[in-house]
Amino acid sequence: MNEKGNRIMKDFFNIRRTQLEQMDKLTRLRAPAKKKEIPANVFTACPKCGKSFTHQVWDENLYVCPECNKHLRLGVKARLNLIMDADYEFIDEPAEFRNPIDFPGYEEKWYKAYDNTDADEAIMFVKGNISQQSCIVGVMDTNFLMGSLGSIVGERIIKALDLATRERLPVIIFTASGGARMQEAIISLMQMRYVSDAVGKFQRAGGLYITVMTDPTTGGVTASYASLGNIILTEPGTLIAFAGPRVIRDTIKQELPEGFQTAEHLEKRGFIDRIIERKDMKKSLTELLKLHNSKQIKVEFSDADLEKTMCLKVDTKSSEQELDGLTAFGRVKKARDPDRISPKQVLEFLCSDIFELRGDRLYGDDRTICGGLATLGGLPITYIYTQKGDDLESRIKLNFGMPHPEGYRKARRLMQEAEIFGRPILTIIDTPGAYPGIGSENRGMGEALAQNLRFMSALKTPTIALITGEAGSGGAIALACTDKLFMLENAVYTILSPEGFATILWKDVSKVEEASANMRLTAQDMHDLKVCDQIFPDDLTGLREAIANTFNRLIEEKAN
């Protein structure tokens, strides 16, 4: 670099040095920043995954962990504010401490809970509305002596049920409890009996009782009113048990498997109707209350609804002449076609506001049979349908549409609820028959089918069955013992499969076509034999109107 360049560079550095010195002076003149105090409790860690979030994040996410979906426990007022419309009112008499067995130290513990929570006992009841649907709601609070069942809790539940009976209101209880209250000993145990009796009286009077099990629901609460709901809902991950994990480990010295005694485990075992995310709980309760509170007494489709005749594409390649020329076994093959219209698709064509309910309350939830509540032309009904699956994996999982005993027991449980609340019942059937396995026999398949036949034969509420594909043997009739039976034109109804028929009679399965013809199994055969009342095209033309008119006629006949 030459002399001129050196001089320019030197001048540049001198200017920069001067600027930095001036900046330093200005900085020194500023007052030092005050140290900000950060509250120690600004973050709260999730008890499951350990991730921490601000109170604002927890509040905005309804106290559900954004990372692992852990549903944190809520107090009474927090729960009510999530569920109820703003105009609710508390209906309990103020709690006054009692010590029925003079347990030492109980009074001090009770008043400490009283002073440190927003509840005056382990349960509080309000009367109000959920999305303008009137009801009485009770909320348990584990912050109050672990939500334990004491004499005041029992009395409050009984009084709330009595008020609901007089005013003909549904009752919803959010359970959260460690079980019986040890400080009240046998008096606490007696509450299980008293409260269960009150629930039974309320239900026999026609009252709707919904329980929502929240974390944790254990001990005497699980073994009484929490498990007696007409409908039982829960939140994800809820601990639900009679004997808690610690009791089991300490008593029988056995480690528990992962996921045992959770809401998800209990749903698979058939004891829970649905697991509902907290953000969806109010919407779900609203739907259920509307379905039960409806004043509509008949099916009312609009003219536009009745004009809809096809819910999906059917086999348009077959002409009427070809269909008329089908052999009996040809109809069997059409009934078995994997691409055939399914019972679920028929239900969705006919109904709206579909709310599935699960479980037989005894052993499991067989997904081969589905059921729940829906509206048909605005009228609440109970629906039952079978499903075979829509791909190979689901068909294997569903035994190709062959239900287990728990599926039939679930159907009967839902039909019992329909009878109590006067809802018509629609069953939609496509099954080759009941599942012929060791497990099914061990769990009493014959008994399950027999009970359904006896029960359905005595139903007073109107019933219609629709066979859309196969209807095989006892597995089908146990869902088809109804006031009226409809069939699609390519459906079949059989004593057993044509292959089985040929094997039993002639010991030759190759005679399956001859067997099909001799068995008289087509929809037209059923109509001629007066087994089926009406036949409909596979595109469902006229089905909606026929079901509406038939239900309305049955409702009127059975009311007189």
Side-chain angles (χ1 to χ4, degrees), residues 39 147 164 216 234 262 316 341 352-353:
T234 185
T262 61
T316 55
I341 186 171
S352 55
D353 307 315

Side-chain angles (χ1 to χ4, degrees), residues 86-345:
D87 56 348
Y88 64 83
E89 60 176 338
F90 288 93
I91 60 175
D92 303 307
E93 295 177 4
E96 294 183 4
F97 175 71
R98 63 180 70 165
N99 193 348
I101 64 169
D102 296 323
F103 193 89
Y106 181 24
E107 183 173 9
E108 181 183 354
K109 285 182 177 293
W110 192 91
Y111 276 108
K112 183 177 180 180
Y114 183 93
D115 293 336
N116 293 331
T117 66
D118 60 9
D120 68 347
E121 246 296 350
I123 194 168
M124 298 184 75
F125 280 92
V126 299
K127 178 182 171 184
N129 298 286
I130 298 177
S131 302
Q132 301 181 345
Q133 299 295 310
S134 299
C135 56
I136 289 175
V137 175
V139 177
M140 301 194 75
D141 191 343
T142 54
N143 293 312
F144 198 105
L145 297 178
M146 201 49 207
S148 51
L149 174 58
S151 55
I152 295 177
V153 172
E155 286 181 10
R156 284 187 171 183
I157 296 171
I158 292 168
K159 288 180 179 179
L161 290 167
D162 183 58
L163 175 64
T165 302
R166 295 197 308 271
E167 300 193 7
R168 303 187 67 79
L169 291 173
V171 173
I172 302 168
I173 296 183
F174 287 81
T175 62
S177 176
R181 186 166 296 179
M182 297 297 100
Q183 294 88 344
E184 295 191 19
I186 194 66
I187 302 303
S188 174
L189 185 69
M190 290 299 103
Q191 303 312 309
M192 295 171 61
R193 171 187 173 180
Y194 302 150
V195 171
S196 298
D197 178 53
V199 169
K201 289 178 180 176
F202 174 69
Q203 291 173 321
R204 287 191 293 275
L208 170 65
Y209 176 52
I210 299 175
T211 56
V212 184
M213 296 185 180
T214 68
D215 188 60
T217 295
T218 62
V221 172
T222 302
S224 57
Y225 58 95
S227 297
L228 295 177
N230 298 99
I231 297 170
I232 300 176
L233 307 178
T234 185
E235 293 182 330
T238 295
L239 171 64
I240 303 170
F242 174 58
R246 186 174 62 185
V247 173
I248 294 175
R249 281 193 292 264
D250 291 348
T251 303
I252 64 175
K253 311 301 181 186
Q254 185 174 344
E255 287 301 316
L256 306 180
E258 185 72 24
F260 184 65
Q261 296 183 316
T262 61
E264 291 75 13
H265 174 78
L266 269 291
E267 184 186 46
K268 290 179 182 177
R269 304 307 299 179
F271 295 100
I272 302 295
D273 279 294
R274 290 282 293 277
I275 298 173
I276 307 292
E277 294 279 346
R278 185 170 290 169
K279 62 183 176 60
D280 299 322
M281 187 63 74
K282 183 172 184 176
K283 178 177 179 289
S284 295
L285 290 173
T286 300
E287 292 172 1
L288 290 170
L289 290 173
K290 284 182 177 179
L291 285 163
H292 283 83
N293 291 342
S294 174
K295 305 302 181 186
Q296 190 166 327
I297 58 173
K298 66 178 183 178
V299 183
E300 295 177 339
F301 282 118
S302 67
D303 292 339
D305 286 332
L306 293 177
E307 288 173 4
K308 298 174 186 174
T309 57
M310 186 185 298
C311 70
L312 51 76
K313 294 180 181 178
V314 296
D315 185 5
T316 55
K317 290 185 272 187
S318 300
S319 66
E320 288 186 19
Q321 186 175 5
E322 287 174 318
L323 290 175
D324 289 341
L326 274 178
T327 64
F329 190 59
R331 301 277 183 181
V332 171
K333 289 192 285 187
K334 276 197 166 291
R336 292 174 175 176
D337 186 347
D339 295 325
R340 185 171 177 74
I341 186 171
S342 71
K344 182 181 179 182
Q345 290 168 323

Side-chain angles (χ1 to χ4, degrees), residues 77-91:
K77 291 183 180 177
R79 180 74 67 180
L80 290 172
N81 290 338
L82 285 178
I83 297 298
M84 304 297 296
D85 297 347
D87 56 348
Y88 64 83
E89 60 176 338
F90 288 93
I91 60 175

Side-chain angles (χ1 to χ4, degrees), residues 441-491:
E441 291 300 318
N442 284 340
R443 296 193 296 278
M445 178 62 85
E447 189 271 349
L449 299 177
Q451 291 287 354
N452 273 29
L453 292 172
R454 181 174 66 176
F455 176 76
M456 293 187 74
S457 297
L459 281 169
K460 296 178 182 178
T461 196
T463 56
I464 295 175
L466 170 66
I467 298 173
T468 63
E470 294 181 278
S473 192
I477 197 172
L479 299 174
C481 193
T482 51
D483 296 316
K484 298 295 178 181
L485 175 67
F486 297 159
M487 294 180 71
L488 297 188
E489 60 184 334
N490 288 306

Side-chain angles (χ1 to χ4, degrees), residues 491-503:
V492 296
Y493 199 1
T494 66
I495 188 172
L496 80 167
S497 71
E499 293 86 352
F501 191 93
T503 299

